Amino acid sequence: MMVSIACKVSDLVGEENWADALRRRAVAVRRDIAEALYHTGGGHYGGSFSAVELLLTIYTRHLRIDPARLHDPARDRFVLSKGHAAIGLYAVLRSLGWLEEPLDSYATFGSPLEGHPDMTAAPWVDWSTGSLGQGLSAALGMAIGLRRYNRHVWALLGDGECQEGQVWEAAMLAGLLKPDNLHVIVDLNRYQEFGWRLAQQHASPIEPVPDMAEKWRAFGWDVIECDGHDIEAIDLACSESMARARPCMILAATRKGQGAALTQSDPARFHCTDVSADEHAAILAGLEQP
């Protein structure tokens, strides 16, 4: 029997308020990310922090996967298209008991915790990502293949990578084929690694892809917008997506570096950086409590 991973997490079972449990877990996950990145000499704080609630909600509430049967072809799939946020995925999966590999082995030689997700190194990675813009194409192919099994495919994109032409080629084909088992979330933190000088010349920030909702609708997708740090709102958006008759895009408004004042204060730097011992301590001390 295929089960949600939520049924495998003992400390979530029986919780009177599952959302509160996930909020507490989100704080712990961000601490784990910060510790791992400091230990390994730096990395992607901003986009990993911004995606924590999204990853937790997908894995505990909506993916129908038995961690003991990861090679079962008739199961749901997840594609982390924004592969530079791999440490966020690893921290979430380790907190849920999927892997025992210590996070401080992240991005070290021989570790399955590659700097970007590698499906040849870890059975819980459904697609190797890192070259931005390619994840949606893979997710679409999976969704078409899994319709016969009534299984669903979820993909998490960054808003910066939505500048890639391949994203819109896949979006156009999905709009034509209408796989109702394809659900895509954009981590809409409104920042990307490059383009800062141009943005600073304007009174308000320039989003990587302006008018995102209108663009996806123009390609034949349903669009749902939500707060990407509100657990209940994310859960509701995911449930609504599964009830739609065509591919659905969830635009989740997030803050790059969410959780600590220091990482939120400079999204350009904390896209990918290293920190001093004092900064590391400040990040840990500043992580918001749920």
Side-chain angles (χ1 to χ4, degrees):
M1 180 179 68
M2 200 65 56
V3 296
S4 165
I5 189 173
C7 300
K8 296 287 186 177
V9 186
S10 60
D11 59 353
L12 288 183
V13 173
E15 282 279 359
E16 201 167 297
N17 191 330
W18 60 269
D20 283 344
L22 288 186
R23 278 187 279 270
R24 291 192 294 273
R25 189 174 291 268
V27 176
V29 165
R30 287 191 174 94
R31 291 184 66 87
D32 290 345
I33 293 170
E35 293 281 18
L37 293 181
Y38 182 66
H39 178 85
T40 56
H44 291 88
Y45 286 86
S48 299
F49 277 12
S50 67
V52 168
E53 285 85 1
L54 299 172
L55 291 168
L56 279 171
T57 305
I58 293 169
Y59 270 91
T60 61
R61 299 285 292 174
H62 296 282
L63 275 175
R64 294 175 296 172
I65 297 176
D66 182 347
R69 298 172 60 192
L70 291 176
H71 295 292
D72 187 342
R75 63 169 177 82
D76 288 358
R77 300 294 198 280
F78 173 75
V79 176
L80 181 67
S81 189
K82 46 174 287 180
H84 55 285
I87 186 59
L89 175 64
Y90 303 154
V92 165
L93 293 184
R94 195 171 195 281
S95 80
L96 298 177
W98 276 52
L99 58 116
E100 297 180 357
E101 189 79 14
L103 292 181
D104 59 12
S105 71
Y106 166 68
T108 60
F109 184 76
S111 170
L113 308 185
E114 300 270 9
H116 291 81
D118 182 353
M119 64 190 297
T120 69
W124 29 263
V125 174
D126 287 326
W127 195 256
S128 301
T129 56
S131 184
L132 293 176
Q134 297 184 358
L136 181 57
S137 297
L140 172 58
M142 293 176 189
I144 293 171
L146 288 170
R147 282 189 294 191
R148 70 176 69 181
Y149 300 111
N150 191 30
R151 297 302 174 192
H152 294 258
V153 179
W154 297 81
L156 180 60
L157 278 64
D159 51 356
E161 76 169 311
C162 289
Q163 295 178 17
E164 296 278 2
Q166 185 171 338
V167 170
W168 300 104
E169 291 177 357
M172 180 170 60
L173 182 58
L176 175 66
L177 298 179
K178 295 181 173 55
D180 60 358
N181 60 335
L182 176 61
H183 317 280
V184 182
I185 302 176
V186 168
D187 181 354
L188 197 66
N189 60 43
R190 296 182 167 84
Y191 284 96
Q192 63 184 114
E193 186 171 12
F194 299 110
W196 306 107
R197 184 184 305 277
L198 179 62
Q200 291 167 0
Q201 294 172 355
H202 293 74
S204 59
I206 297 176
E207 297 182 17
V209 180
D211 304 319
M212 185 81 80
E214 288 77 4
K215 284 183 171 61
W216 284 99
R217 290 190 181 103
F219 278 79
W221 288 57
D222 280 349
V223 175
I224 299 171
E225 300 181 69
C226 74
D227 181 337
H229 299 304
D230 183 325
I231 296 288
E232 290 98 337
I234 299 166
D235 183 58
L236 178 60
C238 291
S239 296
E240 290 182 357
S241 175
M242 295 180 71
R244 302 296 175 91
R246 56 180 176 172
C248 191
M249 165 57 63
I250 299 172
L251 299 180
T254 61
R255 289 177 292 277
K256 194 154 190 170
Q258 166 72 9
L262 179 59
T263 52
Q264 289 177 205
S265 68
D266 193 348
R269 178 192 168 194
F270 282 96
H271 176 88
C272 186
T273 192
D274 57 358
V275 298
S276 67
D278 287 345
E279 288 175 322
H280 176 59
I283 291 171
L284 295 182
L287 285 172
E288 298 172 358
Q289 295 301 310

